[in-house]
Amino acid sequence: MTTHIKSALLALSMLPAMAMASHWSYEGEGAPEHWGELDPQYSLCQKGMNQSPVDIDRTVKAQPNPLKTHYTDGPNAILNNGHTIQASVTGNTQDTLTVDGETFTLQQFHFHAPGENTLHGKHYAMEMHLVHKNAAGEIAVVAVMFETGQANGELEKLWQAMPAKAEVSQPLSNRVDINKLLPEDKTHYRFSGSLTTPPCSEGVTWLVLKQPLTLSQAQLDKFKSVMHHDNNRPVQSPHGRVIIEE
């Protein structure tokens, strides 16, 4: 009986360590270079051939169908999940994106500082990702770059409600117009990639808008002070992928 009890206690003592095995972060043992080792479900983070973000350098000129955005509802809450600041939408949102005649519904949008995708090796101060999903479960991400300059009024509405602590969500009292968080010129770069966080799922259509917006240094500093660390994944190898430039 004693042997069985000892074995049971040993097994229980291992549970926290096993539970922590899939914890990922941007620093230390859970940093991006280790994501693929943390959990079998994260293997694509290390072995995938179409990973994001990328450096947008060599492109192929084309004339893809222009993006059609239909953002009328806006987010209803803002979440600090410890990895990013995320604006959440309701399950019945009418906020959509149309790509090549296919409709994708907005799931959420979030922020990375510094930016993740680079342009000829240049990091922008911050990058916003609007994550969409179609009826088949396929994902399309619209990326908007921000550089420091004039304060961003629409961003400020989000920042005023930004939770300072991780795993805290706050309702948004002020309506946020997503259209004002996008440039008027929606010309973009397009490529196939992945989620930039575990499990790094591939088959994601990336649409990186060319024209950046601005945020103030104070707005950038507030985001960084809440995150406590950079929250960008390093650029990944293109592995022969073609980046289309509109």
Side-chain angles (χ1 to χ4, degrees), residues 26 83-85 110-116 124-129 196-197 220 223 231-233:
Y26 290 98
H83 300 300
T84 187
I85 298 298
H110 60 268
F111 301 86
H112 297 271
E116 294 198 300
Y124 281 88
M126 191 171 76
E127 183 173 342
M128 177 177 72
H129 293 164
T196 66
T197 58
L220 180 61
F223 178 85
N231 70 331
N232 65 306
R233 185 190 191 191

CSV table of all heavy atoms in Angstrom, one decimal, residues 26 83-85 110-116 124-129 196-197 220 223 231-233:
chain,number,residue,atom,x,y,z
A,26,TYR,N,7.3,35.2,-24.5
A,26,TYR,CA,8.2,35.8,-25.4
A,26,TYR,C,9.6,35.9,-24.7
A,26,TYR,O,10.5,36.5,-25.3
A,26,TYR,CB,7.7,37.2,-25.7
A,26,TYR,CG,6.5,37.2,-26.6
A,26,TYR,CD1,5.2,37.3,-26.1
A,26,TYR,CD2,6.6,37.0,-28.0
A,26,TYR,CE1,4.1,37.3,-26.9
A,26,TYR,CE2,5.5,36.9,-28.8
A,26,TYR,CZ,4.2,37.1,-28.3
A,26,TYR,OH,3.1,37.0,-29.1
A,83,HIS,N,-0.3,37.9,-23.2
A,83,HIS,CA,0.5,37.9,-24.4
A,83,HIS,C,0.3,39.1,-25.2
A,83,HIS,O,1.2,39.5,-26.0
A,83,HIS,CB,0.2,36.7,-25.2
A,83,HIS,CG,0.4,35.4,-24.5
A,83,HIS,ND1,1.6,35.0,-24.0
A,83,HIS,CD2,-0.5,34.4,-24.2
A,83,HIS,CE1,1.5,33.8,-23.4
A,83,HIS,NE2,0.2,33.4,-23.5
A,84,THR,N,-0.9,39.7,-25.2
A,84,THR,CA,-1.2,40.9,-26.0
A,84,THR,C,-2.4,41.6,-25.4
A,84,THR,O,-3.0,41.1,-24.4
A,84,THR,CB,-1.5,40.4,-27.5
A,84,THR,OG1,-1.7,41.6,-28.3
A,84,THR,CG2,-2.8,39.6,-27.6
A,85,ILE,N,-2.8,42.7,-26.0
A,85,ILE,CA,-4.0,43.4,-25.7
A,85,ILE,C,-5.0,43.1,-26.9
A,85,ILE,O,-4.7,43.4,-28.0
A,85,ILE,CB,-3.8,44.9,-25.5
A,85,ILE,CG1,-2.9,45.2,-24.3
A,85,ILE,CG2,-5.2,45.6,-25.4
A,85,ILE,CD1,-3.4,44.7,-23.0
A,110,HIS,N,-5.8,42.4,-32.2
A,110,HIS,CA,-4.9,42.5,-31.1
A,110,HIS,C,-3.6,43.2,-31.6
A,110,HIS,O,-3.5,43.5,-32.8
A,110,HIS,CB,-4.5,41.2,-30.5
A,110,HIS,CG,-3.9,40.2,-31.5
A,110,HIS,ND1,-4.7,39.3,-32.3
A,110,HIS,CD2,-2.6,40.0,-31.9
A,110,HIS,CE1,-3.9,38.7,-33.1
A,110,HIS,NE2,-2.6,39.1,-32.9
A,111,PHE,N,-2.6,43.4,-30.7
A,111,PHE,CA,-1.5,44.3,-31.0
A,111,PHE,C,-0.2,43.7,-30.7
A,111,PHE,O,-0.1,42.9,-29.7
A,111,PHE,CB,-1.6,45.6,-30.3
A,111,PHE,CG,-2.9,46.4,-30.7
A,111,PHE,CD1,-4.1,46.1,-30.0
A,111,PHE,CD2,-2.9,47.3,-31.7
A,111,PHE,CE1,-5.3,46.8,-30.3
A,111,PHE,CE2,-4.1,48.0,-32.0
A,111,PHE,CZ,-5.3,47.7,-31.3
A,112,HIS,N,0.9,44.0,-31.4
A,112,HIS,CA,2.2,43.6,-31.1
A,112,HIS,C,3.2,44.8,-31.2
A,112,HIS,O,3.1,45.6,-32.1
A,112,HIS,CB,2.7,42.5,-32.2
A,112,HIS,CG,1.9,41.3,-32.2
A,112,HIS,ND1,2.2,40.2,-31.4
A,112,HIS,CD2,0.8,40.9,-32.9
A,112,HIS,CE1,1.4,39.2,-31.6
A,112,HIS,NE2,0.5,39.6,-32.5
A,113,ALA,N,4.1,44.9,-30.2
A,113,ALA,CA,5.1,45.9,-30.3
A,113,ALA,C,6.4,45.4,-29.8
A,113,ALA,O,6.5,44.7,-28.8
A,113,ALA,CB,4.7,47.1,-29.3
A,114,PRO,N,7.5,45.5,-30.7
A,114,PRO,CA,7.4,46.1,-32.0
A,114,PRO,C,6.6,45.3,-33.0
A,114,PRO,O,6.2,44.2,-32.6
A,114,PRO,CB,8.9,46.2,-32.5
A,114,PRO,CG,9.5,45.1,-31.7
A,114,PRO,CD,8.8,45.0,-30.4
A,115,GLY,N,6.4,45.8,-34.2
A,115,GLY,CA,5.7,45.1,-35.2
A,115,GLY,C,6.3,43.7,-35.6
A,115,GLY,O,7.5,43.5,-35.3
A,116,GLU,N,5.5,42.8,-36.1
A,116,GLU,CA,6.1,41.5,-36.4
A,116,GLU,C,6.6,41.3,-37.8
A,116,GLU,O,7.7,41.0,-38.1
A,116,GLU,CB,5.0,40.4,-36.1
A,116,GLU,CG,4.7,40.4,-34.6
A,116,GLU,CD,4.0,39.1,-34.2
A,116,GLU,OE1,2.9,38.8,-34.8
A,116,GLU,OE2,4.5,38.4,-33.3
A,124,TYR,N,8.2,48.2,-37.6
A,124,TYR,CA,7.3,49.3,-37.2
A,124,TYR,C,7.2,49.3,-35.7
A,124,TYR,O,7.4,48.3,-35.1
A,124,TYR,CB,6.0,49.3,-37.9
A,124,TYR,CG,6.1,49.7,-39.4
A,124,TYR,CD1,6.3,48.8,-40.4
A,124,TYR,CD2,5.9,51.1,-39.7
A,124,TYR,CE1,6.4,49.3,-41.7
A,124,TYR,CE2,5.9,51.5,-41.0
A,124,TYR,CZ,6.2,50.6,-42.0
A,124,TYR,OH,6.3,51.0,-43.3
A,125,ALA,N,6.8,50.4,-35.2
A,125,ALA,CA,6.6,50.6,-33.7
A,125,ALA,C,5.6,49.6,-33.1
A,125,ALA,O,5.8,49.0,-32.1
A,125,ALA,CB,6.3,52.0,-33.3
A,126,MET,N,4.5,49.4,-33.9
A,126,MET,CA,3.4,48.5,-33.4
A,126,MET,C,2.7,48.0,-34.7
A,126,MET,O,2.7,48.6,-35.7
A,126,MET,CB,2.5,49.2,-32.5
A,126,MET,CG,1.5,48.3,-31.8
A,126,MET,SD,0.5,49.2,-30.5
A,126,MET,CE,-0.6,50.1,-31.6
A,127,GLU,N,2.1,46.8,-34.5
A,127,GLU,CA,1.3,46.2,-35.6
A,127,GLU,C,0.0,45.7,-35.0
A,127,GLU,O,0.0,45.0,-34.0
A,127,GLU,CB,2.2,45.1,-36.2
A,127,GLU,CG,1.5,44.4,-37.4
A,127,GLU,CD,2.5,43.4,-38.0
A,127,GLU,OE1,3.7,43.5,-37.8
A,127,GLU,OE2,2.0,42.5,-38.8
A,128,MET,N,-1.1,45.9,-35.7
A,128,MET,CA,-2.4,45.4,-35.3
A,128,MET,C,-2.8,44.3,-36.3
A,128,MET,O,-2.6,44.4,-37.5
A,128,MET,CB,-3.4,46.5,-35.4
A,128,MET,CG,-4.8,46.1,-35.1
A,128,MET,SD,-6.0,47.5,-35.1
A,128,MET,CE,-6.2,47.8,-36.8
A,129,HIS,N,-3.3,43.2,-35.7
A,129,HIS,CA,-3.8,42.1,-36.5
A,129,HIS,C,-5.3,41.9,-36.3
A,129,HIS,O,-5.8,41.7,-35.2
A,129,HIS,CB,-3.1,40.8,-36.0
A,129,HIS,CG,-1.6,40.7,-36.3
A,129,HIS,ND1,-0.8,39.8,-35.7
A,129,HIS,CD2,-0.9,41.5,-37.2
A,129,HIS,CE1,0.5,40.0,-36.2
A,129,HIS,NE2,0.4,41.0,-37.1
A,196,THR,N,1.0,33.7,-35.6
A,196,THR,CA,2.3,34.1,-35.1
A,196,THR,C,2.5,33.7,-33.7
A,196,THR,O,3.4,34.1,-33.0
A,196,THR,CB,2.6,35.6,-35.3
A,196,THR,OG1,1.7,36.4,-34.5
A,196,THR,CG2,2.5,36.0,-36.8
A,197,THR,N,1.5,33.0,-33.1
A,197,THR,CA,1.6,32.5,-31.8
A,197,THR,C,1.3,31.0,-31.8
A,197,THR,O,0.6,30.5,-32.8
A,197,THR,CB,0.6,33.2,-30.8
A,197,THR,OG1,-0.7,33.0,-31.3
A,197,THR,CG2,1.0,34.6,-30.7
A,220,LEU,N,2.4,54.3,-27.2
A,220,LEU,CA,3.3,53.1,-27.3
A,220,LEU,C,3.8,52.7,-26.0
A,220,LEU,O,3.9,51.6,-25.6
A,220,LEU,CB,4.4,53.4,-28.3
A,220,LEU,CG,5.4,52.3,-28.6
A,220,LEU,CD1,4.7,51.1,-29.2
A,220,LEU,CD2,6.5,52.8,-29.5
A,223,PHE,N,1.3,50.9,-23.8
A,223,PHE,CA,1.2,49.5,-24.2
A,223,PHE,C,2.3,48.6,-23.7
A,223,PHE,O,2.2,47.6,-23.1
A,223,PHE,CB,1.1,49.4,-25.7
A,223,PHE,CG,1.0,48.0,-26.2
A,223,PHE,CD1,-0.3,47.3,-26.3
A,223,PHE,CD2,2.1,47.3,-26.7
A,223,PHE,CE1,-0.4,46.0,-26.8
A,223,PHE,CE2,2.0,46.0,-27.1
A,223,PHE,CZ,0.7,45.3,-27.2
A,231,ASN,N,6.4,41.8,-27.5
A,231,ASN,CA,5.5,40.7,-27.8
A,231,ASN,C,5.5,40.4,-29.3
A,231,ASN,O,4.4,40.2,-29.8
A,231,ASN,CB,4.2,40.9,-27.1
A,231,ASN,CG,3.3,41.9,-27.8
A,231,ASN,OD1,3.9,42.9,-28.4
A,231,ASN,ND2,2.0,41.7,-27.8
A,232,ASN,N,6.6,40.4,-29.9
A,232,ASN,CA,6.7,40.1,-31.3
A,232,ASN,C,7.5,38.8,-31.5
A,232,ASN,O,8.5,38.6,-30.9
A,232,ASN,CB,7.3,41.2,-32.1
A,232,ASN,CG,8.8,41.4,-31.7
A,232,ASN,OD1,9.1,41.6,-30.6
A,232,ASN,ND2,9.7,41.4,-32.7
A,233,ARG,N,7.0,37.9,-32.4
A,233,ARG,CA,7.8,36.8,-32.8
A,233,ARG,C,8.8,37.2,-33.9
A,233,ARG,O,8.4,38.0,-34.8
A,233,ARG,CB,6.8,35.7,-33.4
A,233,ARG,CG,7.5,34.4,-33.8
A,233,ARG,CD,6.6,33.4,-34.6
A,233,ARG,NE,7.2,32.1,-34.7
A,233,ARG,CZ,6.7,31.2,-35.4
A,233,ARG,NH1,5.7,31.4,-36.2
A,233,ARG,NH2,7.3,30.0,-35.5
